Amino acid sequence: TGLVNREALSGLGLAISVSDSQANALAQVTRSTEVATLVGLLAIALGVMAATAAARPITRPIEALTATAAAIAAGDLEQRASPAGPVELTTLAEAFNTLTARLRSLISGLQDQVAQRTGQLEARVEQLATLNRITQTVSSVHDLETAPALVTQELVELFDAQYSGIALLDGDREELNVVAEYVRPGAAVGADRLILPVTGNPSSSQVIATGRSLVVGQAQTNPLTAPIHELLRSRGTECLMIVPLL
């Protein structure tokens, strides 16, 4: 190429005309646009990747806490949230674990109460069944002298005991006279009729005063049965149950 004298050409009535295609004219602009677009897309992709990487330390503890909450909601109260991530999420996980522990303790306490109440109801039902059975036995016997003996036998069978007796309080309320008794066959219990003291005998006095049954464990050494320890030892009585019938 070279410099062209435009004035000389103009004096000759000539003009210079330069032409080219639009594609060639805009090629550089198009290339620059494409490069800018590519750079922009690459920057966006890098930004998304960086944001995702930065969010993982936060989203992972949240996902774990969500999974733990779902497991607990399904009934698995042994699940614990792992304290991880930022301070806020760690505090939330620890609070969640504390709440879950309290919930476990509450449910355990309720289960214990239900078991206790169930045991009490079962014991009450057993007592009523025993009373009903004894009542049926007594009502089926027309001879009142025979009824006490049948009742004592029924009591031995019901409680799997070695001995059962029915005693009547004397007029002075000082002694209990055994008027009927039953000894399980093979049990080493004497056949002598018993007279049990009331005065100075805490077990008998308590039952007479309160009208409530009393079970005395380790009857041979228990202070409640101190006046009759020798009697209980001679009969091999380890546990004594006193039930007021009237």
Side-chain angles (χ1 to χ4, degrees), residues 63-83:
E63 292 173 354
L65 187 60
T66 301
T68 302
I72 292 175
D76 186 3
L77 298 179
E78 299 300 325
Q79 288 287 336
R80 288 181 56 85
S82 300

mmCIF file with all atom_site columns, all heavy atoms in Angstrom, residues 63-83:
data_model
loop_
_atom_site.group_PDB
_atom_site.id
_atom_site.type_symbol
_atom_site.label_atom_id
_atom_site.label_alt_id
_atom_site.label_comp_id
_atom_site.label_asym_id
_atom_site.label_entity_id
_atom_site.label_seq_id
_atom_site.pdbx_PDB_ins_code
_atom_site.Cartn_x
_atom_site.Cartn_y
_atom_site.Cartn_z
_atom_site.occupancy
_atom_site.B_iso_or_equiv
_atom_site.pdbx_formal_charge
_atom_site.auth_seq_id
_atom_site.auth_comp_id
_atom_site.auth_asym_id
_atom_site.auth_atom_id
_atom_site.pdbx_PDB_model_num
ATOM 1   N N   . GLU A 1 63 ? -28.471 -30.266 56.588 1.00 0.00 ? 63 GLU A N   1
ATOM 2   C CA  . GLU A 1 63 ? -29.011 -31.525 56.078 1.00 0.00 ? 63 GLU A CA  1
ATOM 3   C C   . GLU A 1 63 ? -28.966 -32.617 57.145 1.00 0.00 ? 63 GLU A C   1
ATOM 4   O O   . GLU A 1 63 ? -29.911 -33.403 57.305 1.00 0.00 ? 63 GLU A O   1
ATOM 5   C CB  . GLU A 1 63 ? -28.222 -31.952 54.837 1.00 0.00 ? 63 GLU A CB  1
ATOM 6   C CG  . GLU A 1 63 ? -28.441 -31.042 53.629 1.00 0.00 ? 63 GLU A CG  1
ATOM 7   C CD  . GLU A 1 63 ? -27.510 -31.395 52.480 1.00 0.00 ? 63 GLU A CD  1
ATOM 8   O OE1 . GLU A 1 63 ? -26.629 -32.274 52.690 1.00 0.00 ? 63 GLU A OE1 1
ATOM 9   O OE2 . GLU A 1 63 ? -27.650 -30.820 51.393 1.00 0.00 ? 63 GLU A OE2 1
ATOM 10  N N   . ALA A 1 64 ? -27.838 -32.676 57.896 1.00 0.00 ? 64 ALA A N   1
ATOM 11  C CA  . ALA A 1 64 ? -27.715 -33.681 58.953 1.00 0.00 ? 64 ALA A CA  1
ATOM 12  C C   . ALA A 1 64 ? -28.748 -33.445 60.046 1.00 0.00 ? 64 ALA A C   1
ATOM 13  O O   . ALA A 1 64 ? -29.367 -34.391 60.551 1.00 0.00 ? 64 ALA A O   1
ATOM 14  C CB  . ALA A 1 64 ? -26.302 -33.640 59.540 1.00 0.00 ? 64 ALA A CB  1
ATOM 15  N N   . LEU A 1 65 ? -28.950 -32.178 60.428 1.00 0.00 ? 65 LEU A N   1
ATOM 16  C CA  . LEU A 1 65 ? -29.932 -31.857 61.458 1.00 0.00 ? 65 LEU A CA  1
ATOM 17  C C   . LEU A 1 65 ? -31.345 -32.191 60.980 1.00 0.00 ? 65 LEU A C   1
ATOM 18  O O   . LEU A 1 65 ? -32.174 -32.695 61.749 1.00 0.00 ? 65 LEU A O   1
ATOM 19  C CB  . LEU A 1 65 ? -29.824 -30.376 61.824 1.00 0.00 ? 65 LEU A CB  1
ATOM 20  C CG  . LEU A 1 65 ? -30.671 -29.898 63.007 1.00 0.00 ? 65 LEU A CG  1
ATOM 21  C CD1 . LEU A 1 65 ? -30.278 -30.657 64.267 1.00 0.00 ? 65 LEU A CD1 1
ATOM 22  C CD2 . LEU A 1 65 ? -30.487 -28.398 63.216 1.00 0.00 ? 65 LEU A CD2 1
ATOM 23  N N   . THR A 1 66 ? -31.610 -31.952 59.713 1.00 0.00 ? 66 THR A N   1
ATOM 24  C CA  . THR A 1 66 ? -32.919 -32.281 59.147 1.00 0.00 ? 66 THR A CA  1
ATOM 25  C C   . THR A 1 66 ? -33.161 -33.787 59.172 1.00 0.00 ? 66 THR A C   1
ATOM 26  O O   . THR A 1 66 ? -34.250 -34.251 59.521 1.00 0.00 ? 66 THR A O   1
ATOM 27  C CB  . THR A 1 66 ? -33.015 -31.760 57.705 1.00 0.00 ? 66 THR A CB  1
ATOM 28  O OG1 . THR A 1 66 ? -32.813 -30.334 57.691 1.00 0.00 ? 66 THR A OG1 1
ATOM 29  C CG2 . THR A 1 66 ? -34.380 -32.073 57.108 1.00 0.00 ? 66 THR A CG2 1
ATOM 30  N N   . ALA A 1 67 ? -32.119 -34.564 58.813 1.00 0.00 ? 67 ALA A N   1
ATOM 31  C CA  . ALA A 1 67 ? -32.247 -36.023 58.840 1.00 0.00 ? 67 ALA A CA  1
ATOM 32  C C   . ALA A 1 67 ? -32.474 -36.532 60.266 1.00 0.00 ? 67 ALA A C   1
ATOM 33  O O   . ALA A 1 67 ? -33.281 -37.441 60.496 1.00 0.00 ? 67 ALA A O   1
ATOM 34  C CB  . ALA A 1 67 ? -31.000 -36.674 58.242 1.00 0.00 ? 67 ALA A CB  1
ATOM 35  N N   . THR A 1 68 ? -31.774 -35.939 61.223 1.00 0.00 ? 68 THR A N   1
ATOM 36  C CA  . THR A 1 68 ? -31.952 -36.334 62.627 1.00 0.00 ? 68 THR A CA  1
ATOM 37  C C   . THR A 1 68 ? -33.365 -36.022 63.105 1.00 0.00 ? 68 THR A C   1
ATOM 38  O O   . THR A 1 68 ? -34.003 -36.832 63.785 1.00 0.00 ? 68 THR A O   1
ATOM 39  C CB  . THR A 1 68 ? -30.924 -35.607 63.517 1.00 0.00 ? 68 THR A CB  1
ATOM 40  O OG1 . THR A 1 68 ? -29.611 -35.925 63.072 1.00 0.00 ? 68 THR A OG1 1
ATOM 41  C CG2 . THR A 1 68 ? -31.085 -36.030 64.969 1.00 0.00 ? 68 THR A CG2 1
ATOM 42  N N   . ALA A 1 69 ? -33.860 -34.833 62.751 1.00 0.00 ? 69 ALA A N   1
ATOM 43  C CA  . ALA A 1 69 ? -35.216 -34.453 63.145 1.00 0.00 ? 69 ALA A CA  1
ATOM 44  C C   . ALA A 1 69 ? -36.251 -35.403 62.543 1.00 0.00 ? 69 ALA A C   1
ATOM 45  O O   . ALA A 1 69 ? -37.216 -35.790 63.204 1.00 0.00 ? 69 ALA A O   1
ATOM 46  C CB  . ALA A 1 69 ? -35.497 -33.015 62.707 1.00 0.00 ? 69 ALA A CB  1
ATOM 47  N N   . ALA A 1 70 ? -36.031 -35.810 61.289 1.00 0.00 ? 70 ALA A N   1
ATOM 48  C CA  . ALA A 1 70 ? -36.962 -36.741 60.650 1.00 0.00 ? 70 ALA A CA  1
ATOM 49  C C   . ALA A 1 70 ? -36.948 -38.100 61.350 1.00 0.00 ? 70 ALA A C   1
ATOM 50  O O   . ALA A 1 70 ? -37.996 -38.724 61.542 1.00 0.00 ? 70 ALA A O   1
ATOM 51  C CB  . ALA A 1 70 ? -36.603 -36.898 59.174 1.00 0.00 ? 70 ALA A CB  1
ATOM 52  N N   . ALA A 1 71 ? -35.743 -38.563 61.751 1.00 0.00 ? 71 ALA A N   1
ATOM 53  C CA  . ALA A 1 71 ? -35.644 -39.854 62.448 1.00 0.00 ? 71 ALA A CA  1
ATOM 54  C C   . ALA A 1 71 ? -36.342 -39.808 63.800 1.00 0.00 ? 71 ALA A C   1
ATOM 55  O O   . ALA A 1 71 ? -37.030 -40.744 64.196 1.00 0.00 ? 71 ALA A O   1
ATOM 56  C CB  . ALA A 1 71 ? -34.174 -40.233 62.622 1.00 0.00 ? 71 ALA A CB  1
ATOM 57  N N   . ILE A 1 72 ? -36.170 -38.697 64.529 1.00 0.00 ? 72 ILE A N   1
ATOM 58  C CA  . ILE A 1 72 ? -36.822 -38.556 65.829 1.00 0.00 ? 72 ILE A CA  1
ATOM 59  C C   . ILE A 1 72 ? -38.335 -38.473 65.660 1.00 0.00 ? 72 ILE A C   1
ATOM 60  O O   . ILE A 1 72 ? -39.093 -39.052 66.440 1.00 0.00 ? 72 ILE A O   1
ATOM 61  C CB  . ILE A 1 72 ? -36.273 -37.321 66.557 1.00 0.00 ? 72 ILE A CB  1
ATOM 62  C CG1 . ILE A 1 72 ? -34.812 -37.561 66.940 1.00 0.00 ? 72 ILE A CG1 1
ATOM 63  C CG2 . ILE A 1 72 ? -37.099 -36.998 67.798 1.00 0.00 ? 72 ILE A CG2 1
ATOM 64  C CD1 . ILE A 1 72 ? -34.145 -36.362 67.564 1.00 0.00 ? 72 ILE A CD1 1
ATOM 65  N N   . ALA A 1 73 ? -38.779 -37.759 64.639 1.00 0.00 ? 73 ALA A N   1
ATOM 66  C CA  . ALA A 1 73 ? -40.217 -37.673 64.377 1.00 0.00 ? 73 ALA A CA  1
ATOM 67  C C   . ALA A 1 73 ? -40.803 -39.041 64.055 1.00 0.00 ? 73 ALA A C   1
ATOM 68  O O   . ALA A 1 73 ? -41.974 -39.306 64.336 1.00 0.00 ? 73 ALA A O   1
ATOM 69  C CB  . ALA A 1 73 ? -40.483 -36.700 63.226 1.00 0.00 ? 73 ALA A CB  1
ATOM 70  N N   . ALA A 1 74 ? -39.962 -39.948 63.513 1.00 0.00 ? 74 ALA A N   1
ATOM 71  C CA  . ALA A 1 74 ? -40.418 -41.299 63.197 1.00 0.00 ? 74 ALA A CA  1
ATOM 72  C C   . ALA A 1 74 ? -40.391 -42.213 64.411 1.00 0.00 ? 74 ALA A C   1
ATOM 73  O O   . ALA A 1 74 ? -40.803 -43.368 64.324 1.00 0.00 ? 74 ALA A O   1
ATOM 74  C CB  . ALA A 1 74 ? -39.559 -41.891 62.085 1.00 0.00 ? 74 ALA A CB  1
ATOM 75  N N   . GLY A 1 75 ? -39.888 -41.695 65.557 1.00 0.00 ? 75 GLY A N   1
ATOM 76  C CA  . GLY A 1 75 ? -39.907 -42.484 66.785 1.00 0.00 ? 75 GLY A CA  1
ATOM 77  C C   . GLY A 1 75 ? -38.554 -42.923 67.308 1.00 0.00 ? 75 GLY A C   1
ATOM 78  O O   . GLY A 1 75 ? -38.471 -43.536 68.370 1.00 0.00 ? 75 GLY A O   1
ATOM 79  N N   . ASP A 1 76 ? -37.468 -42.620 66.579 1.00 0.00 ? 76 ASP A N   1
ATOM 80  C CA  . ASP A 1 76 ? -36.127 -43.012 67.020 1.00 0.00 ? 76 ASP A CA  1
ATOM 81  C C   . ASP A 1 76 ? -35.551 -41.915 67.902 1.00 0.00 ? 76 ASP A C   1
ATOM 82  O O   . ASP A 1 76 ? -34.872 -41.006 67.437 1.00 0.00 ? 76 ASP A O   1
ATOM 83  C CB  . ASP A 1 76 ? -35.229 -43.263 65.815 1.00 0.00 ? 76 ASP A CB  1
ATOM 84  C CG  . ASP A 1 76 ? -33.864 -43.824 66.220 1.00 0.00 ? 76 ASP A CG  1
ATOM 85  O OD1 . ASP A 1 76 ? -33.654 -44.060 67.429 1.00 0.00 ? 76 ASP A OD1 1
ATOM 86  O OD2 . ASP A 1 76 ? -33.008 -44.008 65.337 1.00 0.00 ? 76 ASP A OD2 1
ATOM 87  N N   . LEU A 1 77 ? -35.802 -42.010 69.212 1.00 0.00 ? 77 LEU A N   1
ATOM 88  C CA  . LEU A 1 77 ? -35.360 -40.966 70.133 1.00 0.00 ? 77 LEU A CA  1
ATOM 89  C C   . LEU A 1 77 ? -33.899 -41.107 70.535 1.00 0.00 ? 77 LEU A C   1
ATOM 90  O O   . LEU A 1 77 ? -33.389 -40.292 71.308 1.00 0.00 ? 77 LEU A O   1
ATOM 91  C CB  . LEU A 1 77 ? -36.231 -40.978 71.396 1.00 0.00 ? 77 LEU A CB  1
ATOM 92  C CG  . LEU A 1 77 ? -37.715 -40.682 71.165 1.00 0.00 ? 77 LEU A CG  1
ATOM 93  C CD1 . LEU A 1 77 ? -38.472 -40.741 72.488 1.00 0.00 ? 77 LEU A CD1 1
ATOM 94  C CD2 . LEU A 1 77 ? -37.893 -39.321 70.510 1.00 0.00 ? 77 LEU A CD2 1
ATOM 95  N N   . GLU A 1 78 ? -33.212 -42.134 70.030 1.00 0.00 ? 78 GLU A N   1
ATOM 96  C CA  . GLU A 1 78 ? -31.799 -42.315 70.340 1.00 0.00 ? 78 GLU A CA  1
ATOM 97  C C   . GLU A 1 78 ? -30.897 -41.516 69.392 1.00 0.00 ? 78 GLU A C   1
ATOM 98  O O   . GLU A 1 78 ? -29.690 -41.477 69.583 1.00 0.00 ? 78 GLU A O   1
ATOM 99  C CB  . GLU A 1 78 ? -31.428 -43.795 70.267 1.00 0.00 ? 78 GLU A CB  1
ATOM 100 C CG  . GLU A 1 78 ? -32.193 -44.669 71.266 1.00 0.00 ? 78 GLU A CG  1
ATOM 101 C CD  . GLU A 1 78 ? -31.942 -44.243 72.699 1.00 0.00 ? 78 GLU A CD  1
ATOM 102 O OE1 . GLU A 1 78 ? -30.804 -43.816 73.010 1.00 0.00 ? 78 GLU A OE1 1
ATOM 103 O OE2 . GLU A 1 78 ? -32.884 -44.323 73.511 1.00 0.00 ? 78 GLU A OE2 1
ATOM 104 N N   . GLN A 1 79 ? -31.493 -40.915 68.388 1.00 0.00 ? 79 GLN A N   1
ATOM 105 C CA  . GLN A 1 79 ? -30.721 -40.117 67.445 1.00 0.00 ? 79 GLN A CA  1
ATOM 106 C C   . GLN A 1 79 ? -30.189 -38.848 68.103 1.00 0.00 ? 79 GLN A C   1
ATOM 107 O O   . GLN A 1 79 ? -30.853 -38.254 68.945 1.00 0.00 ? 79 GLN A O   1
ATOM 108 C CB  . GLN A 1 79 ? -31.587 -39.741 66.230 1.00 0.00 ? 79 GLN A CB  1
ATOM 109 C CG  . GLN A 1 79 ? -31.884 -40.898 65.288 1.00 0.00 ? 79 GLN A CG  1
ATOM 110 C CD  . GLN A 1 79 ? -30.672 -41.306 64.479 1.00 0.00 ? 79 GLN A CD  1
ATOM 111 O OE1 . GLN A 1 79 ? -29.761 -40.512 64.277 1.00 0.00 ? 79 GLN A OE1 1
ATOM 112 N NE2 . GLN A 1 79 ? -30.659 -42.542 64.018 1.00 0.00 ? 79 GLN A NE2 1
ATOM 113 N N   . ARG A 1 80 ? -28.980 -38.458 67.717 1.00 0.00 ? 80 ARG A N   1
ATOM 114 C CA  . ARG A 1 80 ? -28.375 -37.229 68.213 1.00 0.00 ? 80 ARG A CA  1
ATOM 115 C C   . ARG A 1 80 ? -27.842 -36.416 67.045 1.00 0.00 ? 80 ARG A C   1
ATOM 116 O O   . ARG A 1 80 ? -27.311 -36.971 66.083 1.00 0.00 ? 80 ARG A O   1
ATOM 117 C CB  . ARG A 1 80 ? -27.228 -37.527 69.194 1.00 0.00 ? 80 ARG A CB  1
ATOM 118 C CG  . ARG A 1 80 ? -27.687 -38.044 70.542 1.00 0.00 ? 80 ARG A CG  1
ATOM 119 C CD  . ARG A 1 80 ? -26.496 -38.275 71.454 1.00 0.00 ? 80 ARG A CD  1
ATOM 120 N NE  . ARG A 1 80 ? -25.689 -37.076 71.594 1.00 0.00 ? 80 ARG A NE  1
ATOM 121 C CZ  . ARG A 1 80 ? -25.934 -36.098 72.475 1.00 0.00 ? 80 ARG A CZ  1
ATOM 122 N NH1 . ARG A 1 80 ? -26.993 -36.198 73.272 1.00 0.00 ? 80 ARG A NH1 1
ATOM 123 N NH2 . ARG A 1 80 ? -25.157 -35.044 72.559 1.00 0.00 ? 80 ARG A NH2 1
ATOM 124 N N   . ALA A 1 81 ? -27.989 -35.108 67.139 1.00 0.00 ? 81 ALA A N   1
ATOM 125 C CA  . ALA A 1 81 ? -27.473 -34.218 66.110 1.00 0.00 ? 81 ALA A CA  1
ATOM 126 C C   . ALA A 1 81 ? -25.988 -33.954 66.365 1.00 0.00 ? 81 ALA A C   1
ATOM 127 O O   . ALA A 1 81 ? -25.571 -33.784 67.504 1.00 0.00 ? 81 ALA A O   1
ATOM 128 C CB  . ALA A 1 81 ? -28.249 -32.901 66.112 1.00 0.00 ? 81 ALA A CB  1
ATOM 129 N N   . SER A 1 82 ? -25.198 -33.957 65.303 1.00 0.00 ? 82 SER A N   1
ATOM 130 C CA  . SER A 1 82 ? -23.759 -33.712 65.426 1.00 0.00 ? 82 SER A CA  1
ATOM 131 C C   . SER A 1 82 ? -23.496 -32.210 65.396 1.00 0.00 ? 82 SER A C   1
ATOM 132 O O   . SER A 1 82 ? -23.790 -31.548 64.390 1.00 0.00 ? 82 SER A O   1
ATOM 133 C CB  . SER A 1 82 ? -23.004 -34.397 64.284 1.00 0.00 ? 82 SER A CB  1
ATOM 134 O OG  . SER A 1 82 ? -23.220 -35.791 64.302 1.00 0.00 ? 82 SER A OG  1
ATOM 135 N N   . PRO A 1 83 ? -22.956 -31.652 66.483 1.00 0.00 ? 83 PRO A N   1
ATOM 136 C CA  . PRO A 1 83 ? -22.635 -30.216 66.494 1.00 0.00 ? 83 PRO A CA  1
ATOM 137 C C   . PRO A 1 83 ? -21.502 -29.913 65.520 1.00 0.00 ? 83 PRO A C   1
ATOM 138 O O   . PRO A 1 83 ? -20.350 -30.273 65.753 1.00 0.00 ? 83 PRO A O   1
ATOM 139 C CB  . PRO A 1 83 ? -22.208 -29.953 67.946 1.00 0.00 ? 83 PRO A CB  1
ATOM 140 C CG  . PRO A 1 83 ? -22.728 -31.109 68.731 1.00 0.00 ? 83 PRO A CG  1
ATOM 141 C CD  . PRO A 1 83 ? -22.688 -32.276 67.797 1.00 0.00 ? 83 PRO A CD  1
#
